[in-house]
Amino acid sequence: MQQFLSRWQGTESPVLLDVAIMISRETIEAIVAEKLEEENLFIVDISISPKNTITIMLDGEKGVSIKSCVAISRLVESKLDRNVEDYGLEVTSAGLGQPFRVVRQYSINIGREVEVLLLDGNKFKGVIVEAGSDNFSIEYSEKVLMDDGKHKQVVQQRKSFPYNVVKSTKAVISFK
């Protein structure tokens, strides 16, 4: 690169290079790690576009406040130089109604009603009762045919799902 640039020194029309330093996910994680721990938050997703637009999505056991998003944003801005990295920054909370993206979201939503869509197209709606590192369980109501073959009875069921068979899981928003 230095040899290329030295060829253009002293010429009247130098070639302008649009070179921005790409920021990595690991860099952002390292910058925010301690602050996230202080705020009892965790990263749901970090995306960095080809134009260095950084989007940090956060969640926490008690949700994410605007104050926390601002604090994380200011921290990142204090550690990066816009003149060098040429980036845009957005810090958001994982929104209601958005699919869960990380296992930790299942555990903080134990006791909450969710809708589970499996890769095979089957849907289940129930309450998360357990969440582990490999799977989670929900309890749901189902109408089953009684022995007389004519009447149905509502029965509580419990079903476990390995994460790798789940296409999406969303918290059900209730206005009760």
Side-chain angles (χ1 to χ4, degrees), residues 25-130:
R25 177 184 175 98
E26 293 76 21
T27 300
I28 300 302
E29 287 174 343
I31 290 171
V32 301
E34 188 176 320
K35 186 70 172 170
L36 291 177
E37 194 172 312
E38 284 175 24
E39 301 265 344
N40 200 23
L41 301 173
F42 59 92
I43 295 170
V44 172
D45 189 33
I46 295 176
S47 63
I48 303 168
S49 76
K51 293 186 176 188
N52 265 359
T53 300
I54 306 163
T55 304
I56 305 170
M57 186 181 295
L58 306 173
D59 206 346
E61 292 186 28
K62 296 180 181 177
V64 181
S65 69
I66 292 173
K67 182 179 172 185
S68 294
C69 288
V70 169
I72 297 296
S73 179
R74 287 185 179 155
L75 175 63
V76 171
E77 288 176 346
S78 74
K79 301 293 183 181
L80 299 177
D81 184 346
R82 282 193 193 270
N83 294 326
V84 174
E85 286 93 4
D86 189 24
Y87 67 92
L89 178 62
E90 180 180 323
V91 180
T92 67
S93 64
L96 285 176
Q98 288 188 348
F100 296 171
R101 295 186 183 195
V102 295
V103 171
R104 193 162 171 194
Q105 286 181 290
Y106 289 85
S107 60
I108 67 169
N109 282 288
I110 290 176
R112 175 173 245 164
E113 187 175 25
V114 295
E115 185 175 272
V116 180
L117 175 61
L118 302 180
L119 293 172
D120 65 9
N122 286 319
K123 277 187 181 181
F124 294 87
K125 193 175 190 179
V127 176
I128 297 177
V129 291
E130 189 175 26

Side-chain angles (χ1 to χ4, degrees), residues 140-145 152-158:
Y140 62 99
S141 299
E142 183 176 49
K143 289 184 179 180
V144 294
L145 199 57
K152 290 188 176 183
Q153 178 180 354
V154 176
V155 177
Q156 283 295 105
Q157 302 280 358
R158 185 177 185 141

